[in-house]
Every structure is written in C-alpha cells, then in structure tokens.
Amino acid sequence: MSGSPNTERAAGGITVDFIGEIYEVSQEVPFTIGREADLSIDDNPYLHRHFLSIFHEFGLWWLGNVGTLLSATVTDGTGQVQAWLAPGAKLPIVFSTMHVIFSAGSTTYEFTIRADADWYDTSMAAMSAASSTTIAPVVLTTSQRQLILALAEPVLTQSVPGRSSIPSAADAAQRLCWSLTTYNRKLDNVCEKLDKLGVPGLRGGAGKLATQRRARLVEYAVSSHLVSADDLPLLDLDNDDERPGTGERSP
C-alpha cells in the first residue's frame, strides 16, 4: 500500500527515508509528501498539505512539486549535482540516492529518496529540463563562512532529526557577536556572491521574504557541502577579516 512504512526495499522500486522511517512507493499511486499526505512531515501551517509527489511515468520515477509557494533543493548522494525544484516543476529520479531539503516558514526539513536503479547516464539531459545548475567553486572569507554556519548550525547539529529551525537575523547576529547592521551587510554580500555564481533563490526584491532567503542559503550550503559539521568550530573563532595593509574589513 502506498505510504505504508516498510523496512525493506522492493526490487526496482523507490523508497523514502524520513528520520529512519522507510516508506515504499507504489508505481500505481503517487506518493505525496506534506502536512497531510502519505508522508506527513509536520503540522507546520506553512507547509502545503501536499507539497511533493513521487510518481512513475514514461518508464521513470519522478519527483514533482505540486505546491504553489514552496521550493525544494534536490541533490545526488555526493552533493555535486543539485537542482532547485520550483512550484509546478518535476525532475526524474536518476540517482540511486537523492537528498531533498526544503523550508516552510522558519523550519527546514530533510528526507532521502533511494532507488534500486541508477540512471546516471541519462541525467545530463534529463536534469537540464528541470533547471539544474552547475555552480562554479565558491571561495568564502572566514566571516562569510561563519555567517552561513550561524544560520545552518541547527541543520548541521540535527538536535531534532529531520527538522530544524532557521535562526532569526537577531539570533544569528548574537551568535556571532556582530551588530545587526554587520550581519545584514555580510548576508547581502554572501547572497550576492552566490547569485552571481548561478545559485537561484537568493536575490532580494519585491515579495522576497528575508526568511525565505536565509532558508534557501542554508539549503544550498548544506546540500552542496559548502559547509559541514566539521566547520562549526569556526563559529567560536574571533575573526575580523581585515584586508592586509588597508585596515578595511572585507565583506
């Protein structure tokens, strides 16, 4: 039955792993993920009742965004291939392991899709149709990395498996012992840098909520392994990031 917890994977099938609970997906019936779905993630009012759907079509398994507001970040098992799944978009499940991370309000969620078949050879053409992005290597200053770590710390430490809260701007600034002005300036600089490198969802503007931008930054940084739990000691490093010979602070 679609959505029933299972401990073993069916041959040629798809399973979803959310905080250690395994769901087997049927080819006959789409498997939904959301607030009131086959996989009910949380009762978070910001989460769609049906947000994502896994279904079988044209001989392939697909992940579709059936919501209207939220987006999801999807990566392969290594984090080297990443796609941003916007409302109405879908992409084929072409890797044996795919990690999905998304945010609703100030809460970020994660789960894993596992497939018995690995269609990696078809991924370049298939993923391009889903607007996947190849991102150039990212070089960050220490303070930029600290800012990302301050926002991603709850996700990286996973005190509650599968879900984490994104710190507010005030909380992140306090964690770093920065003024709110300094925090906002450095956040703008990091988002601008990643936006220029092709990372979607970080550009500000009308209708772009600050919470959404922080959440998208965390999703990208964690799923692409830009930061990891091994980097967390940097949060306790006293760093001014001064440019040598100028006395000016870098972004």
Side-chain angles (χ1 to χ4, degrees), residues 230-243:
D230 292 339
D231 298 317
L232 288 173
L234 282 175
L235 284 173
D236 299 316
L237 177 67
D238 185 12
N239 174 68
D240 287 335
D241 258 3
E242 290 187 348
R243 295 190 181 113

Side-chain angles (χ1 to χ4, degrees), residues 1 10-11 15 20 28-30 34 44 96 102 105 115 121 132 157 201 206 226 229 232 234 236 244:
M1 181 177 66
T15 56
E28 285 72 34
V29 182
N44 184 342
S96 57
F102 62 91
D121 289 340
S132 65
T157 55
L226 185 61
L232 288 173
L234 282 175
D236 299 316

Side-chain angles (χ1 to χ4, degrees), residues 28-242:
E28 285 72 34
V29 182
F31 179 83
T32 56
I33 298 156
R35 190 174 77 247
E36 298 174 8
D38 295 317
L39 170 52
S40 296
I41 293 280
D42 197 359
D43 60 1
N44 184 342
Y46 293 99
L47 179 60
H48 297 306
R49 286 184 301 147
H50 288 177
F51 168 44
L52 300 171
S53 176
I54 300 173
F55 56 95
H56 192 269
E57 188 177 66
F58 307 122
L60 287 173
W61 288 100
W62 298 79
L63 175 66
N65 186 338
V66 296
T68 57
L69 296 173
L70 304 179
S71 298
T73 300
V74 183
T75 67
D76 70 326
T78 68
Q80 295 179 359
V81 178
Q82 183 178 116
W84 193 40
L85 194 63
K90 65 179 182 179
L91 57 82
I93 299 173
V94 295
F95 297 101
S96 57
T97 300
M98 291 177 64
H99 300 300
V100 183
I101 181 170
F102 62 91
S103 301
S106 62
T107 305
T108 296
Y109 303 92
E110 295 180 76
F111 66 89
T112 300
I113 300 172
R114 293 190 173 88
D116 289 322
D118 189 341
W119 297 90
Y120 182 81
D121 289 340
T122 68
S123 65
M124 295 304 293
M127 293 287 275
S128 64
S131 300
S132 65
T133 306
T134 299
I135 306 298
V138 180
V139 179
L140 299 173
T141 66
T142 300
S143 65
Q144 288 172 341
R145 192 172 297 276
Q146 287 174 318
L147 181 143
I148 295 173
L149 286 167
L151 293 173
E153 185 177 20
V155 177
L156 294 172
T157 55
Q158 284 287 300
S159 57
V160 179
R163 59 176 64 87
S164 310
S165 295
I166 302 296
S168 67
D171 287 341
Q174 183 178 27
R175 177 72 175 90
L176 294 163
C177 298
W178 294 351
S179 70
L180 193 56
T181 299
T182 297
Y183 163 85
N184 285 326
R185 174 172 57 82
K186 290 181 182 289
L187 177 63
D188 287 341
N189 288 331
V190 169
C191 289
E192 181 181 1
K193 174 180 285 189
L194 293 176
D195 177 73
K196 288 180 178 178
L197 291 173
V199 180
L202 295 175
R203 185 183 295 276
K208 189 65 178 178
L209 299 178
T211 301
Q212 294 173 340
R213 188 170 66 150
R214 293 198 306 272
R216 172 56 184 151
L217 177 59
V218 170
E219 290 174 16
Y220 171 75
V222 172
S223 61
S224 66
H225 301 181
L226 185 61
V227 296
S228 71
D230 292 339
D231 298 317
L232 288 173
L234 282 175
L235 284 173
D236 299 316
L237 177 67
D238 185 12
N239 174 68
D240 287 335
D241 258 3
E242 290 187 348

